[in-house]
Amino acid sequence: DQYGNPITSYSGPSTVTTSISPTSTGSSFPVTVPINTSGMGLSLGILQKVGSYTITASSGSFTGSSTPVAVTPAAADKLSFTTQPVSTSTGVTLAPVTVEVLDAFGNLVSSDNTDVVTVGIASGGGSFTPGSTAMAPVQNGVATFNNLTLATPGPYTLSALVPALYTGPNSTVFSVSPLQVVSGSFAGTPSGFSVQFNAPLLVNSVTPVLYGQ
């Protein structure tokens, strides 16, 4: 009633509608809740996204709101590339790539500071060069890889996993382009000429040696 007392003999609207603010994907709201003759209604509400919500029940001129409801992440369940690899040239370190630990509903598990994520070549014609760092610890739910280099041209996708625990979709496709001579990069010298490439020239045990070192 107007003084906050429960109604023991209720004859008002037979249903109320519960809704949430802010709205959220993956929720069961709005929900129509039947009200019994004691003025009581029960329903199951589902919220999947992390956040703070207010639940409101209304019917005609009747309305009421809950105290804030906090939704926190569920247990870690899968991985996701959040900063995708971008195309580059052979021998050039990829721009930083990040992988997040998510729960089953896509929420970041920011409390995870113990897992170690390993990235690999899911598709492509080469492998990471020696010295690349393909394992990274998770900090606040995020693993960052800033030392990945490829020397074989072609299209690639990357994989990510925490062995025996989680995996996730591969990265989007990116390309590794072959080294090219930059236009206008020839310069005469007293002994001949110099030439500049558009990326560092990777020299290793499989690089052909032409005309001496």
Side-chain angles (χ1 to χ4, degrees), residues 12-112:
S14 60
T15 62
V16 298
T17 299
T18 57
S19 58
I20 57 170
S21 178
T23 58
S24 177
T25 59
S27 78
S28 62
F29 294 89
V31 178
T32 299
V33 183
I35 304 298
N36 62 25
T37 56
S38 297
M40 178 69 72
L42 298 174
S43 71
L44 176 66
I46 298 173
L47 289 167
Q48 295 183 349
K49 297 301 180 182
V50 168
S52 179
Y53 300 89
T54 299
I55 301 175
T56 299
S58 61
S59 181
S61 60
F62 295 140
T63 185
S65 297
S66 72
T67 55
V69 177
V71 177
T72 57
D77 181 76
K78 57 188 176 182
L79 302 176
S80 177
F81 283 91
T82 49
T83 303
Q84 299 282 348
V86 296
S87 297
T88 188
S89 298
T90 54
V92 177
T93 302
L94 292 173
V97 175
T98 58
V99 176
E100 289 185 344
V101 180
L102 307 178
D103 68 9
F105 308 105
N107 298 300
L108 173 66
V109 183
S110 58
S111 60
D112 189 344

Side-chain angles (χ1 to χ4, degrees), residues 45-211:
I46 298 173
L47 289 167
Q48 295 183 349
K49 297 301 180 182
V50 168
S52 179
Y53 300 89
T54 299
I55 301 175
T56 299
S58 61
S59 181
S61 60
F62 295 140
T63 185
S65 297
S66 72
T67 55
V69 177
V71 177
T72 57
D77 181 76
K78 57 188 176 182
L79 302 176
S80 177
F81 283 91
T82 49
T83 303
Q84 299 282 348
V86 296
S87 297
T88 188
S89 298
T90 54
V92 177
T93 302
L94 292 173
V97 175
T98 58
V99 176
E100 289 185 344
V101 180
L102 307 178
D103 68 9
F105 308 105
N107 298 300
L108 173 66
V109 183
S110 58
S111 60
D112 189 344
N113 290 289
T114 58
D115 286 319
V116 177
V117 178
T118 300
V119 295
I121 307 298
S123 65
S127 58
F128 296 128
T129 61
S132 296
T133 305
M135 299 175 64
V138 173
Q139 295 182 343
N140 299 322
V142 181
T144 301
F145 299 85
N146 51 22
N147 185 28
L148 300 174
T149 307
L150 292 160
T152 303
Y156 288 84
T157 59
L158 302 183
S159 62
L161 78 158
V162 175
L165 289 178
Y166 330 117
T167 186
N170 295 334
S171 73
T172 55
V173 178
F174 65 100
S175 297
V176 175
S177 303
L179 288 172
Q180 297 177 0
V181 176
V182 178
S183 177
S185 63
F186 285 95
T189 69
S191 60
F193 64 89
S194 65
V195 61
Q196 181 181 352
F197 292 88
N198 71 336
L201 180 62
L202 181 69
V203 178
N204 55 36
S205 60
V206 297
T207 304
V209 177
L210 304 178
Y211 314 115

